Amino acid sequence: MGMARSAKQRALGQHFLTDTSALDRVFAVLDIDASDHVLEIGPGAGALTMRLGKEAGSVVAVEVDRNLATSLQARLPQVEVVCADALKADLAGLLDRAGERRRRVVGNLPYNIASPLLTRLFEAGAEDMHFMVQAEVARRLAAAPGSKTYGRLSVIAQWHCRIELLFELGPGSFSPPPKVRSAFVRLEPLPDRLACDAAALRRVVRTAFAKRRKTLANALESLPVDWSALRIDPKDRPENLSVADFVAIANGLPANVGRPS
């Protein structure tokens, strides 16, 4: 979250949070103390990392740009900087270094990788996650059934977590300014998540929303769904189903369907 960027950083879609008042708001929301182990995704020039390093019990920062990672490690020796692509790094392993501390994740997610990265992080074992994302992504995360923004990401995210949109920021809070607004969101894993095979649910949701304007019967015609065993109208559209509905469909599939995919 910080400074001028190289051509490589621009290619990676990185926009660094440089507004001091916005950083203050972010840090206040996080409420970090010595009982926390923080995994930071995309620290950039380290504006937030520096504050995390002072207050948290331990911090691991994952930065894909080697120059930024090297600079960050030299300036903040109390932080462990891992130079890696967050889409490929062992995020669960990095969280496992927490020991007895709370496992927390924070990040300023590049707009072009936010969705796939969130999908990975849902399974990483954090106690809570806070992210700066494109405002459109934030609205999709929290969207209700029946809305235009409700889709695949909404269902998977809400199956895993309780989602809260905390505040939005304009382009001027970042360097360089993105062309869109951003939002800071909190995601808290649900302790009583509906039981379901994750791969099967992803298969159902992906297939359904690939044809969101079709009826469920048409959108899911490639899957062996027994509609007579479900309290779901096959003439309805995918965008109108609740998370529980998608879970029911996935749970009704034969054991060998949708795994892995």
Side-chain angles (χ1 to χ4, degrees):
M1 287 183 185
M3 300 189 183
R5 312 182 314 159
S6 67
K8 179 180 179 181
Q9 290 153 17
R10 289 192 294 273
L12 292 170
Q14 292 171 297
H15 297 269
F16 300 145
L17 182 60
T18 53
D19 182 338
T20 301
S21 62
L23 281 163
D24 289 343
R25 293 181 72 185
V26 166
F27 199 69
V29 163
L30 294 175
D31 192 23
I32 298 293
D33 63 36
S35 67
D36 294 325
H37 170 73
V38 181
L39 170 61
E40 184 183 11
I41 306 294
L48 180 63
T49 318
M50 180 172 62
R51 301 190 187 195
L52 294 173
K54 291 179 179 179
E55 301 295 335
S58 55
V59 180
V60 178
V62 178
E63 173 55 56
V64 69
D65 185 277
R66 186 167 301 279
N67 290 334
L68 285 174
T70 300
S71 173
L72 199 61
Q73 189 65 86
R75 289 186 291 112
L76 301 175
Q78 73 274 32
V79 172
E80 179 183 356
V81 181
V82 176
C83 184
D85 182 344
L87 288 174
K88 300 176 182 178
D90 179 11
L91 302 179
L94 295 177
L95 277 173
D96 280 343
R97 299 182 188 183
E100 297 300 315
R101 297 188 177 101
R102 289 189 297 169
R103 304 176 182 201
R104 310 187 66 188
V105 179
V106 61
N108 180 14
L109 304 188
Y111 299 152
N112 57 338
I113 67 166
S115 292
L117 184 54
L118 285 169
T119 300
R120 288 200 70 207
L121 284 164
F122 291 146
E123 302 287 353
E127 293 186 37
D128 69 8
M129 297 175 280
H130 290 80
F131 300 115
M132 189 69 70
V133 294
Q134 185 175 340
E136 178 186 348
V137 172
R139 296 185 195 108
R140 285 167 54 200
L141 284 168
S147 64
K148 292 181 179 180
T149 50
Y150 184 73
R152 177 180 170 185
L153 182 61
S154 315
V155 175
I156 298 302
Q158 292 171 34
W159 176 58
H160 281 282
C161 302
R162 185 181 74 85
I163 298 159
E164 183 180 0
L165 275 61
L166 299 171
F167 56 85
E168 290 194 12
L169 294 174
S173 294
F174 300 85
S175 177
K179 296 180 180 179
V180 296
R181 291 184 64 80
S182 301
F184 197 52
V185 297
R186 175 187 289 131
L187 296 92
E188 296 177 317
L190 295 169
D192 53 352
R193 186 176 75 183
L194 295 171
C196 187
D197 179 82
L201 181 61
R202 288 195 298 268
R203 176 81 178 271
V204 168
V205 173
R206 182 175 64 250
T207 304
F209 283 103
K211 300 179 181 178
R212 64 180 298 143
R213 296 185 181 278
K214 301 284 188 178
T215 65
L216 286 165
N218 287 332
L220 296 176
E221 62 182 349
S222 63
L223 298 178
V225 179
D226 181 5
W227 294 108
S228 65
L230 299 170
R231 295 181 179 180
I232 299 171
D233 185 354
K235 295 180 181 179
D236 207 344
R237 297 179 186 276
E239 63 191 31
N240 294 324
L241 266 63
S242 67
V243 173
D245 290 334
F246 280 109
V247 167
I249 293 172
N251 283 338
L253 296 177
N256 63 337
V257 175
R259 309 162 176 82
S261 179

